[in-house]
Amino acid sequence: MNQLGNTLSKEMQFSEKRGISLDKHTTYSIDGGTLTIEDVVRVAKKECLVELSAQTYSRMNETRNIVEKMVAEEKIEYGITTGFGKFSNVVISREDAMQLQKNLIMSHACGVGDPFPEEVVRAMMFLKANEMSKGYSGTRPATVDTLVQMINRDVIPVVPEQGSLGASGDLAPMAHIVLVLIGLGEAYYKGERMPGQEAMAHAQIQPVILAEKEGLSLINGTHAMSALGCLAVSEMKSLLASADIVCALTMEGLRGVVDAFDPRVHAIRPHRGQTAAAANILRLLQGSDLTTRQGELRIQDAYSLRCTPQVHGASRDAFAYVHNVIDLEINSATDNPLIFADDEAVISGGNFHGQPLALALDFLAIAASEIANISERRLERLVNHQLNDLPPFLTKGKGGLNSGFMIAQYAAASLVSENKVLAHPASVDSIPSSANQEDHVSMGTTAARKGRTVIKNALNVLAIEYLAASQAIDLRNYPGSLGAGTKPAYELIRQSIPPLTEDRVMYPDIHQAADLIRTNALLSAVKNHVPELE
């Protein structure tokens, strides 16, 4: 353990010299079984360093010894002494076994499109190191150590977004990571894109010469879709909490009827998410003078207000399911073949197949899309004077000369429409590959990529509603008594974004409102006053 501590201390000093944002008292010790989504996000965002825990070395050494024994005995085992995919029936000589691994990486690095953001690649590397530390891959500890050094010293491979089928895992994306590990490909170092060998030299990391099976182990698995999934889940969590807050502001802007949120209504249809959303909105509105009761102004509100707990709640329940799937996945072994040390068994299976994640991530995109759908409908009720008692398009005066929030609603409608296209499930598609040896694939990485886009779009729709709801409150001659949670939400936006008194360039306002949601500033401000918020 002292050796690990000394290595970690050196990594901290090295990283600090290069301006990497790190908490020197925070590290994640990889053990292969206790990883959380929050841990992945922290590493992805450079909020902590990484180390291998002491017990991982013995596990990896056990199965590595088995691989070397099989090579010495010239046993025929898939991926160790054979080719890959349809070439699994081609036996590779002992002399060529190491060249096989290098050839695998070079031939599989076929990604296309724009590069993934660095945070996604960092998460992919971290997840791969975590999986290999479980000791079912037969990889040398020194190889995994090198991957960890790359994370800590900020050598981030350039990985194109497109090219994975999501079964045999994320082969093409992971191959681009391994290219840099062996001194090829391209990488970012200190924000600068350069050849992989040059980046490794700058970081004082010796590239790896791959040993038997290591190339296969490094690219097999669901690490791209899992990395994207972890980041998407983190973003979705912020979106869900903020959606209830913004809806509560709209309730005040439209003088909504609170009876629909009565806990008795939700107790007799006790879906967990629905009950939580209804309770949140009531807590946020507690003490408000702007909301109404049934029969005061109207008997009931339109669905976009009255049914918010049911819609937000369904998305919350979908989120809980997806969270659980990804929690399981990031602590799983998704390599092939898998090596079991107890009886030296080498078993070819299908743990690399991304279908569990593909279905879940498609579900996440649908859940996020519905948050945007209902938000845009509430926004329409705010801007459409035929549906409320407010000035057209929330204009302060001189409607016609001023357009107010007219085109802001257009932007929201555009995003909602785009989400409807993106919410089409990727997981229902499959296309055979490797001469029909790999004849069913998951398209899970496509599901993950588009899922993050849907969440981003939904966040921007919610930001526009946040602006419009605050404007509606102003038009009702606030200050008055806003709710316990809506008051700090309103005050937060007004700290940086003034009311719209006449037309101005609006996109900076939308960006600022979106940042308040994205960075959890909105949620933090409200929870200081309503700590029970879920």
Side-chain angles (χ1 to χ4, degrees), residues 237-438:
K237 186 176 181 180
S238 300
L239 183 73
L240 288 168
S242 298
D244 290 345
I245 298 168
V246 172
C247 172
L249 278 167
T250 297
M251 284 286 292
E252 290 181 316
L254 292 173
R255 306 218 64 200
V257 180
V258 295
D259 297 70
F261 306 99
D262 189 307
R264 291 171 294 180
V265 172
H266 305 283
I268 57 175
R269 195 198 191 194
H271 291 290
R272 175 73 184 82
Q274 174 182 328
T275 304
N280 278 347
I281 294 169
L282 275 185
R283 291 185 187 111
L284 292 160
L285 292 171
Q286 187 175 2
S288 174
D289 289 339
L290 284 177
T291 56
T292 62
R293 299 303 303 271
Q294 198 167 286
E296 289 180 356
L297 292 180
R298 66 188 76 87
I299 297 298
Q300 59 185 17
D301 284 320
Y303 286 4
S304 56
L305 295 177
R306 182 165 31 122
C307 299
T308 289
Q310 287 78 5
V311 177
H312 284 193
S315 291
R316 281 173 169 267
D317 290 339
F319 168 80
Y321 163 72
V322 177
H323 195 291
N324 183 60
V325 169
I326 293 176
D327 257 342
L328 286 172
E329 188 74 5
I330 62 178
N331 288 292
S332 299
T334 57
D335 193 3
N336 181 61
L338 294 165
I339 301 169
F340 296 87
D342 289 348
D343 57 356
E344 298 189 359
V346 179
I347 302 176
S348 284
N351 277 5
F352 51 71
H353 200 294
Q355 197 71 16
L357 281 178
L359 290 171
L361 291 166
D362 275 335
F363 198 10
L364 190 68
I366 292 168
S369 183
E370 280 305 292
I371 294 295
N373 275 351
I374 198 167
S375 173
E376 187 277 329
R377 289 294 80 200
R378 292 191 300 259
L379 172 62
E380 170 66 9
R381 302 199 77 80
L382 285 163
V383 303
N384 189 340
H385 69 286
Q386 296 174 324
L387 302 175
N388 61 43
D389 58 349
L390 294 161
F393 305 109
L394 302 175
T395 50
K396 188 81 171 178
K398 296 185 179 180
L401 175 63
N402 292 303
S403 295
F405 278 77
M406 181 190 295
I407 308 304
Q409 186 270 332
Y410 283 32
S414 170
L415 293 169
V416 166
S417 184
E418 181 178 313
N419 279 352
K420 291 173 185 176
V421 175
L422 293 172
H424 176 83
S427 56
V428 299
D429 186 32
S430 178
I431 192 165
S433 57
S434 195
N436 258 320
Q437 174 73 3
E438 299 168 4

Side-chain angles (χ1 to χ4, degrees), residues 444-521:
T445 309
T446 303
R449 286 173 48 235
K450 69 185 182 64
R452 281 195 88 192
T453 302
V454 171
I455 292 168
K456 181 181 178 181
N457 289 347
L459 186 148
N460 282 317
V461 173
L462 206 61
I464 296 170
E465 184 192 356
Y466 185 12
L467 287 166
S470 301
Q471 178 80 359
I473 288 167
D474 286 315
L475 292 169
R476 295 199 182 279
N477 297 315
Y478 180 80
S481 293
L482 295 183
T486 51
K487 185 173 187 287
Y490 170 85
E491 290 174 344
L492 177 68
I493 202 168
R494 287 294 173 248
Q495 286 173 15
S496 56
I497 306 172
L500 192 69
T501 56
E502 58 184 19
D503 281 355
R504 63 172 182 256
V505 179
M506 288 195 70
Y507 74 85
D509 295 353
I510 296 170
H511 291 175
Q512 280 187 280
D515 282 341
L516 293 176
I517 297 170
R518 183 182 299 107
T519 61
N520 284 323

Side-chain angles (χ1 to χ4, degrees), residues 74-107:
E74 299 186 347
K75 287 189 175 180
I76 299 175
E77 294 289 354
Y78 173 69
I80 302 174
T81 54
T82 75
F84 310 102
K86 192 63 177 178
F87 286 134
S88 60
N89 59 343
V90 177
V91 178
I92 307 298
S93 70
R94 184 176 179 183
E95 293 75 23
D96 290 335
M98 292 177 73
Q99 184 64 39
L100 171 71
Q101 301 302 313
K102 183 178 181 181
N103 288 352
L104 173 71
I105 302 307
M106 294 190 297
S107 67

Side-chain angles (χ1 to χ4, degrees), residues 45-59:
K45 296 184 181 297
K46 297 199 289 188
E47 293 174 1
C48 66
L49 288 164
V50 180
E51 65 175 352
L52 291 171
S53 60
Q55 66 266 34
T56 63
Y57 286 88
S58 59
R59 290 201 300 259

Side-chain angles (χ1 to χ4, degrees), residues 30 35-37 39-46 50 108-109 111 114-133 144 147-148 150-151 155-164 166 168-181 188 217-231 326 329-330 332 334 357 445 448-449 452:
I30 293 174
L35 190 58
T36 67
I37 292 170
D39 293 328
V40 177
V41 172
R42 284 170 58 233
V43 171
K45 296 184 181 297
K46 297 199 289 188
V50 180
H108 283 48
D114 295 331
F116 277 121
E118 289 185 48
E119 65 178 12
V120 174
V121 180
R122 193 176 289 107
M124 290 164 64
M125 297 162 73
F126 180 46
L127 289 169
K128 173 51 73 176
N130 185 70
E131 185 218 17
M132 296 180 101
S133 74
V144 185
L147 195 60
V148 167
M150 290 169 65
I151 297 169
V155 176
I156 308 302
V158 175
V159 179
E161 288 185 323
Q162 296 168 282
S164 175
S168 283
D170 289 311
L171 295 177
M174 292 306 299
H176 282 272
I177 289 177
V178 185
L179 278 180
V180 179
L181 184 76
Y188 296 104
S217 295
L218 283 159
I219 65 173
N220 249 327
T222 58
H223 304 92
M225 66 184 89
S226 294
L228 288 160
C230 287
L231 292 163
I326 293 176
E329 188 74 5
I330 62 178
S332 299
T334 57
L357 281 178
T445 309
R449 286 173 48 235
R452 281 195 88 192

